[in-house]
Amino acid sequence: MAALFLKSLTLQTIKTKSNCVGRCFGKHMVQKTAPAQLSLIASAPRLSYLIHAKAFSTADDPQDERRKKKENETDFSNIGRKIHERIIHVLDEKGNDLGNMHRADVIRLMDERNLRLVQRNASAEPPEYQLMTGAQIYQERLRLGERGKASVKAGPTVIKEVTFSSNIGQHDLDTKSKQIQQWIKKKYQVKITIKKGKKVDEPENKMEELFNQILQTMSGIATFSSRPQAIKGGKALVCVLHHLSNKEENAHRETQKTKKRDTVNKENGADDKESNILHQ
């Protein structure tokens, strides 16, 4: 009896210890795991913030660095004494080739002649530089600026086309001429095709006369890019008109002045001749 009681007490003691160990170990695991999870959750927003900040940061963007480098290479300006290459190819202020020079010699030459140094060709080997005065750099900048504006203004050439028959009526011809004139004023080129009419008694030079008549309505505005030429076996003539360039406008003005001067001189000469006859 006493042995049975002792055995029962021993089993109960082992069970109690086992339950205690399980509860303590579980509590310990919860305490260990919970802070770790909380730490992980708390650090997640911070990590996301860092990733977000890096995505929008341009401090180390290689594309921006390349763009800035390209802009600096195309900028026509005095680089001063900041010559990165040890040996460079040098031209003087008159464009004479001085050959390859050490940067120290170039700097000494700049000081002696009071000149600036600009980069001409960075891709050459060695890179090409030129010594220039401040006035030369200023003039070169103006020239490059004007050339850039001209290229932007020029744009692609627009060609308009109009076709009609040589037996066109005067009213329709006036309408066509007005439309061509509007295109010319917009600096378009106009391709005109005149087909030979079916009238048998039509003069052979009727199509040429129509071209000249159209051009006379735009005197001082347009001229031929290509003069009338026969196409389709002589069954049609084609020409192209364009707006006068500045040079052509100046030449036209000079021609008009010369014609006016000649007319006045002829009139004065005729008056003088008539006056002499009356005096006689």
Side-chain angles (χ1 to χ4, degrees):
M1 188 72 180
L4 185 61
F5 177 75
L6 183 60
K7 185 177 179 180
S8 176
L9 183 61
T10 302
L11 290 174
Q12 187 175 359
T13 302
I14 293 171
K15 187 177 179 180
T16 303
K17 286 183 178 180
S18 177
N19 291 338
C20 180
V21 169
R23 287 196 302 271
C24 293
F25 181 75
K27 186 176 180 181
H28 178 72
M29 288 294 294
V30 169
Q31 289 177 350
K32 282 286 186 182
T33 305
Q37 290 177 346
L38 290 174
S39 175
L40 210 52
I41 294 170
S43 63
R46 184 179 180 184
L47 181 60
S48 174
Y49 171 77
L50 291 174
I51 294 172
H52 179 79
K54 183 167 182 160
F56 286 88
S57 174
T58 58
D60 298 324
D61 192 348
Q63 187 175 357
D64 285 353
E65 289 181 359
R66 287 194 299 268
R67 190 183 300 114
K68 290 178 181 178
K69 184 178 180 181
K70 187 176 180 180
E71 289 175 356
N72 291 335
E73 287 178 354
T74 56
D75 183 25
F76 191 85
S77 60
N78 174 31
I79 66 168
R81 297 169 175 266
K82 297 178 181 178
I83 307 173
H84 301 292
E85 298 83 7
R86 183 170 170 270
I87 301 296
I88 62 174
H89 192 87
V90 183
L91 304 175
D92 68 5
E93 70 275 20
K94 296 179 181 178
N96 299 322
D97 192 344
L98 301 181
N100 296 341
M101 297 180 64
H102 192 281
R103 57 187 171 191
D105 297 329
V106 176
I107 293 173
R108 183 170 63 253
L109 196 60
M110 290 168 59
D111 294 337
E112 291 175 356
R113 300 187 186 180
N114 192 25
L115 297 173
R116 280 77 169 168
L117 188 68
V118 296
Q119 191 175 64
R120 281 297 192 181
N121 188 358
S123 60
E125 186 61 37
E128 186 177 291
Y129 290 79
Q130 184 173 3
L131 295 167
M132 303 182 77
T133 64
Q136 285 177 320
I137 294 175
Y138 177 73
Q139 291 297 328
E140 186 70 9
R141 283 178 178 174
L142 290 179
R143 187 183 67 81
L144 293 175
E146 291 298 325
R147 188 173 65 182
K149 289 179 183 178
S151 62
V152 171
K153 289 180 181 179
T157 302
V158 179
I159 300 178
K160 297 290 187 178
E161 295 188 22
V162 60
T163 303
F164 54 88
S165 174
S166 61
N167 56 10
I168 186 173
Q170 187 60 45
H171 176 73
D172 292 338
L173 181 62
D174 293 340
T175 302
K176 296 285 187 183
S177 298
K178 289 179 181 178
Q179 179 63 71
I180 294 170
Q181 190 172 4
Q182 290 177 0
W183 286 335
I184 290 294
K185 288 182 177 179
K186 293 180 179 179
K187 305 296 179 67
Y188 298 159
Q189 290 190 7
V190 183
K191 181 180 179 181
I192 306 172
T193 303
I194 302 179
K195 297 179 181 179
K196 191 173 183 179
K198 296 180 180 180
K199 292 182 179 180
V200 179
D201 57 344
E202 186 177 86
E204 293 184 359
N205 61 344
K206 177 66 180 296
M207 291 186 286
E208 289 89 342
E209 290 179 357
L210 289 174
F211 281 122
N212 293 328
Q213 188 176 343
I214 292 171
L215 189 60
Q216 286 174 3
T217 63
M218 294 173 284
S219 177
I221 300 176
T223 188
F224 288 114
S225 289
S226 63
R227 301 193 69 83
Q229 296 177 354
I231 58 172
K232 297 182 180 179
K235 293 182 179 180
L237 289 183
V238 63
C239 78
V240 178
L241 300 180
H242 72 267
H243 193 284
L244 292 178
S245 64
N246 293 334
K247 185 177 181 179
E248 289 170 332
E249 285 181 355
N250 293 333
H252 176 75
R253 288 195 206 97
E254 291 299 324
T255 303
Q256 293 301 113
K257 288 179 181 178
T258 302
K259 288 181 179 180
K260 187 175 181 180
R261 193 182 307 116
D262 292 343
T263 302
V264 171
N265 291 337
K266 286 180 181 179
E267 291 177 353
N268 292 337
D271 292 341
D272 292 340
K273 187 176 181 180
E274 184 178 353
S275 177
N276 292 333
I277 292 173
L278 291 174
H279 284 300
Q280 289 176 358

